[in-house]
């Protein structure tokens, strides 16, 4: 046996031992931040059913695809989607180079701290704000900017990094599914490259499993090297009907489990639930005004049709206040 | 320890043993259909350099992304891209339901067996032919149609299934890279869903790692269930500049190795090669008129600028006749 082969074996044994350790730990109680009850039980039952060899409900590993919305499902989304805060901060950072913004909405109001006026123009104003600091730059420049923001900017209410405001029970759920052979994906209205700046480190979800909204890209040669320039033009909006479409384009097979928190996720859950065999659909419902926020309807979105359909179809609905022992990892003692 | 935990351990041990077996087998000679020489050596050297722990050239597993063109790189593409033959066969199959095609080009000439006239309209005619049998149907209907074709239709020259006309040396290369921690992707001008009908079975590449051209999709409810309908409108053409763009959208990180066979792959190789650290770019050159085909330029495409750049940058160029012991798996004795 060659030295290279020996090295390969050693690496495999080490990696196997590590994965064994993880798996056994998971088997004890993989979801310690979930209170015992129907919600937690529905998750554990589903996973047991689709992973039981020889059972008619068994699903091969390759088909164990689980898709997660991000805003309000994996991390908080109040009082504004975190990516909007990123956009607002970018406008402030770039203002010195754009003296014309002092007299031009929505920038004028952003810089004056008057958010209500800044966003009065609706989606159009919002897109202008987001595009200002995220486009007309290369993908590599954007990656640096997004990474800097996500590792330094603080949430106005908690004073924590935005990436600390992920839901501990959902982190456990992601890890639990992966330990059971699932491939976990984000399918979100947020920007793909924005989410990729933290998804691997925070959620354990690699860039290639992050599906989001995208802007148009243009390949250019600069100093003899190709760069991809982010253009100020929407390419794909990954919400509502867009979610099943994005799943087909990127994954090419139907998930067997899907997780969301608003009517914008309903089509993804319908698409998932309509497949043959055992399927799992779950909505996170924001019911905890003290530890997080309580809302079905907010300026960001609504969970109404989704709740109706969840009731009709027996989907799982998480009651955050009742079902979750912890909301954020930083609450751990 | 619970019974469930014991089962998990057992499964992990079995899966570890299997993966050890594979890895050691690969170490012997992972590329038996490649003749010894500079080409084969360049591949083996690259893999050794990026997988050597502690070396400055070491690349973590998560970043070992390799992208492959399909037509002419993983399987043959003459005398017509195989997907065009699929399109032509679909027109013939559907003709009884379309009496109007008898008087309407390009269908009239397809049905008369006059391919030259049928394709005289260039890209426009081609798209019409491809769309006729692949759109205005659900994704599930298309999957069935594509699967039936790929498992039954025969190539006019070899009389073999099209899926048998994959390149044995490239199959070995795909497996070799995966055994060394690479994630292998297809990035091709072919249709995503067409390629997904065989990519997993034939290449070991799962649907979510198949990136191709796509048509627009529309979500509809039919009998209370959501379906995705394939519209006769191009969404994305995954060729030339489209390839780095598709890589960014789908993978979100730059490959460290890229493989193509024509100038349509040049931008993908440039994008790959321009990254920091050790990179590998390879063109397959069709030089074997006897066992396959010999051409740099054909009605389908050309390898000209690519060859120039390969020479200038020291990329690997496969001379099929000289470098490959076997072309197709069915040549094995």
């Amino acid at each position: 046996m060659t030295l290279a082969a020996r090295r390969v074996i050693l690496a495999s044994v080490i990696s196997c031992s590590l994965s064994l350790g993880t798996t056994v730990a998971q088997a004890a109680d993989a979801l310690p931040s979930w209170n015992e009850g129907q919600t937690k039980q529905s998750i554990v039952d589903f996973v047991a059913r689709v992973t039981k060899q020889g059972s008619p409900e068994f699903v091969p590993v390759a088909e164990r695809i689980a898709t997660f919305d991000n805003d309000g499902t994996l991390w908080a989304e109040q009082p504004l989607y975190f990516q909007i805060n990123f956009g607002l901060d970018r406008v402030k950072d770039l203002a010195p180079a754009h003296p014309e913004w002092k007299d031009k909405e929505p920038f004028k109001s952003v810089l004056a701290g008057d958010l209500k006026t800044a966003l009065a123009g609706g989606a159009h104003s919002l897109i202008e704000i987001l595009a200002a600091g995220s486009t007309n730059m290369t993908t590599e420049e954007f990656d640096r900017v997004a990474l800097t923001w996500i590792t330094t900017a603080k949430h106005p209410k908690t004073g924590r990094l935005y990436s600390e405001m992920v839901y501990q029970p959902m982190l456990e759920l992601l890890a639990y599914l992966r330990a059971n052979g699932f491939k976990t994906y984000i399918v979100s209205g947020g920007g793909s490259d924005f989410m990729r700046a933290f998804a691997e480190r925070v959620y354990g979800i690699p860039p290639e499993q992050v599906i989001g909204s995208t802007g148009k890209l243009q390949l250019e040669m600069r100093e003899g090297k190709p760069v991809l320039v982010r253009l100020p033009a929407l390419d794909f909006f990954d919400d509502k009907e867009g979610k099943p479409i994005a799943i087909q384009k990127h994954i090419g097979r139907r998930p067997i489990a899907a997780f969301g928190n608003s009517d914008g996720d309903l089509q993804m859950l319908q698409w998932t639930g309509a497949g043959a065999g055992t399927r799992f659909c779950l909505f996170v419902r924001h019911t905890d005004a003290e530890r997080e926020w309580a809302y079905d309807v907010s300026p960001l979105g609504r969970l109404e049709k989704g709740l109706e359909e969840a009731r009709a179809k027996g989907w799982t609905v998480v009651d955050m206040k009742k079902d979750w022992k912890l909301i954020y990892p930083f609450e751990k003692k």
Side-chain angles (χ1 to χ4, degrees), chain A residues 204-282:
Chain A
I205 298 181
E208 61 268 31
Q209 285 161 230
V210 175
I211 304 170
S213 296
T214 49
K216 289 200 185 298
L217 296 171
Q218 182 170 291
L219 189 74
E220 288 179 15
M221 296 301 279
R222 291 190 183 170
E223 296 171 11
K225 287 200 171 187
V227 295
L228 286 170
V229 179
R230 295 167 57 91
L231 302 182
L234 186 68
D235 173 51
F236 186 80
F237 184 40
D238 188 20
D239 197 37
K240 298 192 172 72
E241 295 81 5
K243 293 199 174 197
I245 291 171
I247 287 169
Q248 178 62 24
K249 287 207 282 190
H250 287 256
I251 308 179
R253 49 183 145 205
R254 201 190 293 244
I256 64 165
F259 305 82
N261 79 303
S262 83
D263 289 351
D265 303 311
L266 179 56
Q267 287 85 347
M268 174 168 76
L269 271 63
Q270 288 172 329
W271 176 246
T272 300
T278 304
R279 306 275 157 164
F280 189 78
C281 295
L282 178 151

Side-chain angles (χ1 to χ4, degrees), chain A residues 283-297:
Chain A
F283 276 120
V284 172
R285 193 173 182 187
H286 297 265
T287 53
D288 196 325
E290 199 181 323
R291 295 184 301 170
E292 207 243 5
W293 283 270
Y295 60 96
D296 284 333
V297 175

Side-chain angles (χ1 to χ4, degrees), chain A residues 9 21 109 169 214:
Chain A
I9 291 185
S109 295
T214 49

Side-chain angles (χ1 to χ4, degrees), chain A residues 263 283 285 296 303-312 317:
Chain A
D263 289 351
F283 276 120
R285 193 173 182 187
D296 284 333
L303 178 61
E304 288 178 326
K305 287 184 195 164
L307 277 185
E308 272 173 45
E309 191 142 340
R311 274 185 216 110
V317 177

